[in-house]
Amino acid sequence: MAAYQLAVAGLKVLVLEAGRSYDPVRETPMFKLPREAPLRGAGSREKPFGFYDATVDGGWEVPGEPYTNAPGTDFRWWRARMMGGRTNHWGRISLRMGEYDFKPKTRDGLGADWPLSYQDLAPYYDKTEMLIGVYGGDDDLENTPRSSPGVLQPPPAPRPVEMLVKKHATPLGIPVIPAHLAIMTQRQDANRLPRLLHPGNALAQRVLRQSMLQRQACFYATPCGWGCSIKANFQSTTVLLPPALATGNVDIVPNAMVREVTVGKDGLATGVNYIDKNTRQDRHVKARVVVLAASAAETARILLNSKSTQNPQGVSNSSGLVGKYLMDTVGAGLGGQIPLLENLPPYNNDGASGMHVYIPWWLYKEQIGGKLDFARGYHVEFGGGRGMPGNGSFNFLENQTEGAYGKAYKEAARRYYGSFVWFDGRGEMIPNEDSFCEIDPEVVDQWGIPVLRFHWKWSDHELKQAVHMQKTFAEIITAMGGKVNGTVQTDGSRAIARGGQIIHEVGTCRMGEDPRTSVLNPYCQSWDVKNLFVTDGAPFVSNADKNPTLSILALAWRTTDYILDQMQKREVG
Amino acid sequence: MEENSKLRQPGGREPELQQPSDREPEGQGAAVGDGTVEAPVGLVRRDALKAMAAVASLPILSGLPLADAEAQTAPAAKAGAPASLQPPRAAGGPRGDAWDPDLLRPKKDWPRKLTTSEMATLAALADMIIPADDKSPSASAVGAHHYINEYVSAPGDGSARDLVRVRGGVSWLNLESQQRFGKRFTQLTVAQKTAICDDICYVPKAKQEHKAGARFFSLVRNLVATGFYTTDAGMKDVGYVGNVALPKWDPPSPAVLKALGLE
């Protein structure tokens, strides 16, 4: 996003990418079937989300690029070493943070407030949604903001299972509303939107119009997570990089493993040093402004590794807070078998790949009224029904039928196929002192760069939240006349996903009002190094139950506006 | 926005092929019990779909030979993605290893470890688990037993462990067949095979002396099911009707809504 915005403004941009080049249009396996893949597309150590997942050269492990965990910590760090990073495979869920989410400490005394409010970011949410293409509804629920009129694309009609959940969740007081996903249900208005988003900027309008004309609407088949060659959903490689490159102002150097930000005697950033992975040579590039968007933990690693006599604690770390207040999303799930869903007439369940509806957090009043034993909320993603059969899709039959085989087995497969639902809670984690990353003084990766060591601890708020998730899902499944699979945990540590597993890690360079208690100012500018900016998840002060990508994009746009303003005023660059 | 404009080639080039989108769908929807047509597949006719693919990069989603399938994405690839995103393969394409496999031309090049006679036993057992009926063929007819071989021969600890389980299971099954009926498993009648399978079809209910056989059966059942239900015949058997490019997404049909009490 930052590269795009700076390039259309006429600046020369060099993008250093630690992974390889990647072009979804050429490389996506979206039209393949599981049977064409090794082991029917099963997930593996190397491809945790299945063989066809768009992430290449990445995962919780990257060969030659280890990280370590402090004793007692089990944190998983996802890296996507490829152009476009995790935007190639992400879930496309695009939820805005709400008013409470920017001022959580003011509301309940925990964590910290952002140095900006929802009103500050709302215009950028609108613009970002129009730029990337997001479908969603017009509901106006507490702390679940709606977009300005005309911004969102129409949401797709709910699937049968989604309608059934809505019917049975509503009497429990649980709302089910259209989800917001970065998937286009119609083509963008390529004549109107570029003028609206980039008034008075002919270059920006031209490249964005070209880019929008190349994007098709969703055709309701193939999984988003495998990438999208028709450019119907958002990934950097199909939506932001092509128009950025079309300006002629952007160069991308892949396989460039940035290891440190270099700083001159005046304390300003002079550029970065990186290892060229092809030649293993150390290279230096000079820049007037440095923007880090390496992902929250990698950005912290680069800053902490930028050590010198001038900056013994690393660059931009006078507060000592780089790497601190690392957060992920709380995750817990539960599934169930629903007799009502058995033996249905065939129906197409593919839809937009991701969810058409979801459950936003609904117990704000109970929570602030002290009726719950945890402080922050969660949203619920759910689904089920007749998906494409894949590896292991029918393993459930053994227990379901207590050992059927033969014709009875085939009949059971027809009966029970598509009769399952699953619910996944995605909740807010409150930043804590015990969750952070630092440089491991004893380990380097294959490029010779010191690696990160993680420290991780859930607080009772997260553990109890995970228990509440499972209890709620069991209630909905039961209300649907279904039977819960597995155990409903009463011990949060057994219900909760591990740190890093939800892949929403944010918060290692928090922004704030005070240079002593934050790393960045409200414009994601380093307090210590004024020509250094951060536009990934690192600036996050809290990690609301809203998937971070949309907010990262909106903040990045706001940051580039500020960079351009400061450069014009000769304050920066 | 008109339906037609969705299907324009980027850049506004007029298509030379007639578009199917302004006609009534010609697909043969999957008929359901009460005669209503379910999930109208508006674009199943191959030539119509190809026209759309050429016009709007709408691809044909399955059942195509590889070269054909690639031709579907070629127009999109040429449609002006900047050169820097499309470096020569050496600079940026897949490395072809497990971490960065060639997703379009996956290599399944590990040597298969099971012998012909082991495969014969597994094919016979697979057909006990998924026999042919009036809706679909048997597991071995669509090669489900070959998937077992692919899986147990694969690199990795899990496969190595399960190779022992399958190998040992095949041997156990033949020893059991010899003891009970004086023949190998493949030579038994269906009734004889059933007698053995009934004893090993569910671990919790199997007698102690059959537990090992039951653990083997459990693994084979899941592998056979994956092998079978991921084929076209298997997907059709359970009534999977997705993976079709649609010009728009419709709400569920009245028949489905009625069945769910959602009218």
Side-chain angles (χ1 to χ4, degrees):
Chain A
M1 178 62 108
Y4 166 78
Q5 295 296 349
L6 296 171
V8 299
L11 293 174
K12 295 291 182 201
V13 181
L14 175 69
V15 177
L16 297 173
E17 166 54 58
R20 72 163 174 89
S21 270
Y22 171 77
D23 174 13
V25 172
R26 238 173 11 97
E27 296 190 48
T28 175
M30 66 195 282
F31 309 120
K32 298 288 190 187
L33 294 169
R35 69 159 179 272
E36 297 172 86
L39 302 177
R40 297 299 201 266
S44 63
R45 227 180 99 200
E46 301 91 352
K47 301 278 294 181
F49 290 89
F51 179 79
Y52 285 135
D53 180 75
T55 307
V56 292
D57 263 1
W60 284 292
E61 293 175 62
V62 173
E65 297 185 16
Y67 54 92
T68 61
N69 274 321
T73 286
D74 182 9
F75 184 85
R76 314 292 172 87
W77 184 25
W78 180 275
R79 275 92 30 96
R81 292 276 187 245
M82 63 194 297
M83 203 178 285
R86 19 183 128 189
T87 69
N88 293 302
H89 97 132
W90 70 305
R92 274 79 185 176
I93 297 167
S94 302
L95 307 175
R96 295 183 177 208
M97 289 169 53
E99 285 183 34
Y100 302 164
D101 300 327
F102 287 91
K103 304 292 177 190
K105 189 172 171 55
T106 300
R107 191 162 182 268
D108 64 16
L110 298 165
D113 284 347
W114 290 62
L116 47 112
S117 68
Y118 174 70
Q119 302 313 334
D120 293 322
L121 206 56
Y124 288 97
Y125 277 135
D126 277 347
K127 290 199 287 186
T128 299
E129 287 163 351
M130 286 189 274
L131 176 70
I132 67 175
V134 177
Y135 73 64
D138 191 33
D139 302 86
D140 191 22
L141 301 180
E142 191 174 13
N143 197 41
T144 305
R146 60 168 140 191
S147 307
S148 296
V151 166
L152 295 178
Q153 299 197 358
R159 301 170 174 92
V161 170
E162 293 173 322
M163 293 175 74
L164 192 68
V165 169
K166 179 172 178 146
K167 177 182 169 177
H168 293 283
T170 306
L172 302 172
I174 300 171
V176 177
I177 63 172
H180 293 222
L181 268 75
I183 300 167
M184 305 203 306
T185 51
Q186 51 187 218
R187 295 192 68 187
Q188 287 166 306
D189 186 341
N191 293 323
R192 186 178 67 95
L193 288 177
R195 287 205 293 268
L196 193 67
L197 296 172
H198 299 292
N201 183 337
L203 172 67
Q205 290 175 21
R206 180 171 59 82
V207 297
L208 184 55
R209 183 174 179 276
Q210 281 171 349
S211 171
M212 284 182 171
L213 285 171
Q214 287 179 19
R215 297 186 65 192
Q216 305 292 330
C218 182
F219 55 38
Y220 307 107
T222 83
C224 284
W226 299 3
C228 190
S229 69
I230 65 166
K231 307 186 176 187
N233 65 31
F234 171 75
Q235 48 196 124
S236 293
T237 36
T238 54
V239 177
L240 292 175
L241 289 174
L245 287 161
T247 62
N249 291 330
V250 177
D251 287 309
I252 303 181
V253 178
N255 299 308
M257 186 78 180
V258 173
R259 57 184 191 84
E260 66 176 347
V261 175
T262 55
V263 174
K265 284 198 175 63
D266 57 2
L268 292 174
T270 53
V272 300
N273 287 329
Y274 70 92
I275 306 282
D276 177 340
K277 285 184 172 179
N278 296 323
T279 62
R280 296 186 161 266
Q281 300 295 310
D282 194 29
R283 310 277 305 268
H284 177 68
V285 288
K286 287 200 291 238
R288 290 155 64 199
V289 173
V290 173
V291 180
L292 292 178
S295 85
E298 193 72 45
T299 287
R301 181 185 176 198
I302 291 167
L303 291 173
L304 292 170
N305 273 327
S306 307
K307 281 186 186 148
S308 61
T309 46
Q310 197 177 338
N311 292 299
Q313 297 303 312
V315 161
S316 188
N317 198 19
S318 65
S319 63
L321 291 179
V322 173
K324 301 290 194 294
Y325 302 115
L326 176 66
M327 295 166 273
D328 189 20
T329 289
V330 179
L334 199 69
Q337 197 274 331
I338 314 290
L340 253 180
L341 292 169
E342 293 168 22
N343 293 319
L344 287 183
Y347 61 88
N348 186 341
N349 201 56
D350 287 6
S353 170
M355 59 198 191
H356 296 187
V357 300
Y358 84 119
I359 295 170
W361 179 237
W362 68 101
L363 295 172
Y364 289 106
K365 292 194 168 53
E366 290 76 357
Q367 211 156 35
I368 205 71
K371 294 195 174 74
L372 298 176
D373 59 2
F374 57 101
R376 303 282 171 79
Y378 58 87
H379 77 256
V380 187
E381 303 166 11
F382 63 90
R386 305 171 75 102
M388 184 189 281
N391 191 303
S393 291
F394 290 85
N395 290 7
F396 72 88
L397 274 176
E398 178 179 343
N399 287 329
Q400 186 75 34
T401 62
E402 299 195 344
Y405 69 95
K407 290 198 170 162
Y409 185 79
K410 285 179 97 164
E411 277 154 21
R414 289 162 201 153
R415 171 181 170 184
Y416 294 116
Y417 164 63
S419 70
F420 288 80
V421 294
W422 52 265
F423 295 85
D424 273 322
R426 293 290 179 259
E428 178 167 1
M429 171 189 180
I430 301 166
N432 67 55
E433 304 284 333
D434 299 310
S435 300
F436 61 96
C437 57
E438 61 185 352
I439 299 298
D440 187 324
E442 297 182 6
V443 184
V444 297
D445 66 10
Q446 69 158 320
W447 316 109
I449 306 169
V451 307
L452 283 178
R453 178 167 60 197
F454 289 93
H455 298 251
W456 191 259
K457 200 168 173 190
W458 297 114
S459 78
D460 272 355
H461 289 289
E462 288 84 40
L463 297 172
K464 287 175 173 162
Q465 186 193 65
V467 170
H468 190 271
M469 287 177 186
Q470 286 205 335
K471 187 167 131 297
T472 304
F473 305 157
E475 281 166 14
I476 302 173
I477 291 165
T478 307
M480 292 169 78
K483 188 170 151 288
V484 168
N485 306 330
T487 316
V488 182
Q489 302 291 351
T490 50
D491 171 357
S493 64
R494 300 175 76 95
I496 202 165
R498 294 185 175 95
Q501 264 193 320
I502 308 298
I503 320 182
H504 288 169
E505 66 278 6
V506 296
T508 55
C509 302
R510 62 159 49 169
M511 58 160 78
E513 303 278 11
D514 181 348
R516 287 167 307 177
T517 56
S518 61
V519 178
L520 307 168
N521 77 7
Y523 293 95
C524 299
Q525 178 180 31
S526 161
W527 287 114
D528 302 349
V529 183
K530 69 178 182 179
N531 63 340
L532 175 66
F533 297 83
V534 179
T535 59
D536 52 23
F540 280 45
V541 182
S542 69
N543 196 12
D545 74 284
K546 319 295 201 313
N547 309 41
T549 304
L550 182 73
S551 299
I552 290 173
L553 290 166
L555 276 172
W557 192 334
R558 183 172 177 268
T559 299
T560 53
D561 276 0
Y562 177 77
I563 292 173
L564 293 164
D565 171 73
Q566 293 294 294
M567 286 180 89
Q568 246 167 355
K569 293 180 178 157
R570 304 287 163 116
E571 293 284 336
V572 157
Chain B
M1 194 181 292
E2 276 181 54
E3 210 50 52
N4 262 353
S5 58
K6 286 189 181 180
L7 307 173
R8 280 280 146 74
Q9 174 78 351
R13 193 162 52 80
E14 276 301 312
E16 294 164 15
L17 292 153
Q18 208 203 342
Q19 294 181 29
S21 58
D22 53 0
R23 299 200 301 267
E24 279 302 296
E26 297 177 22
Q28 60 276 29
V32 289
D34 59 0
T36 52
V37 172
E38 192 51 37
V41 185
L43 309 165
V44 290
R45 270 199 28 221
R46 193 175 150 134
D47 54 346
L49 239 189
K50 270 198 162 161
M52 285 188 70
V55 169
S57 349
L58 266 187
I60 294 171
L61 300 187
S62 63
L64 271 188
L66 192 62
D68 230 1
E70 284 189 351
Q72 302 310 321
T73 53
K78 283 186 196 134
S84 346
L85 278 180
Q86 300 188 36
R89 187 157 292 266
R95 290 189 316 223
D97 64 14
W99 299 88
D100 185 7
D102 188 333
L103 297 176
L104 295 173
R105 296 165 208 78
K107 289 203 289 250
K108 304 186 207 182
D109 53 1
W110 51 83
R112 299 296 189 258
K113 292 177 175 165
L114 297 177
T115 65
T116 316
S117 96
E118 285 171 324
M119 288 299 286
T121 305
L122 286 170
L125 183 59
D127 288 353
M128 287 301 292
I129 294 166
I130 298 187
D133 63 5
D134 53 7
K135 255 195 143 164
S136 62
S138 74
S140 73
V142 297
H145 54 307
H146 293 298
Y147 172 65
I148 302 176
N149 199 5
E150 182 195 337
Y151 170 78
V152 298
S153 306
D157 294 347
S159 283
R161 203 174 45 241
D162 285 338
L163 175 65
V164 175
R165 207 158 134 196
V166 167
R167 278 227 140 113
V170 167
S171 274
W172 181 90
L173 195 60
N174 282 317
L175 289 169
E176 189 72 15
S177 304
Q178 290 285 4
Q179 276 168 4
R180 288 200 208 185
F181 307 110
K183 292 188 217 132
R184 298 179 63 74
F185 187 72
T186 50
Q187 297 163 321
L188 302 185
T189 64
V190 172
Q192 290 169 329
K193 289 179 193 164
T194 304
I196 297 179
C197 288
D198 281 347
D199 288 338
I200 60 172
C201 68
Y202 193 44
V203 174
K205 287 188 175 165
K207 291 184 189 147
Q208 186 144 31
E209 64 266 31
H210 297 144
K211 289 278 188 206
R215 275 191 279 273
F216 155 72
F217 190 93
S218 160
L219 173 63
V220 169
R221 170 171 31 216
N222 286 346
L223 293 172
V224 165
T226 285
F228 178 81
Y229 287 110
T230 51
T231 64
D232 282 348
M235 293 200 287
K236 193 166 164 233
D237 178 318
V238 291
Y240 171 70
V241 294
N243 199 42
V244 178
L246 302 171
K248 64 185 184 40
W249 178 254
D250 290 319
S253 71
V256 169
L257 293 177
K258 186 163 176 270
L260 290 174
L262 290 168
E263 311 101 312

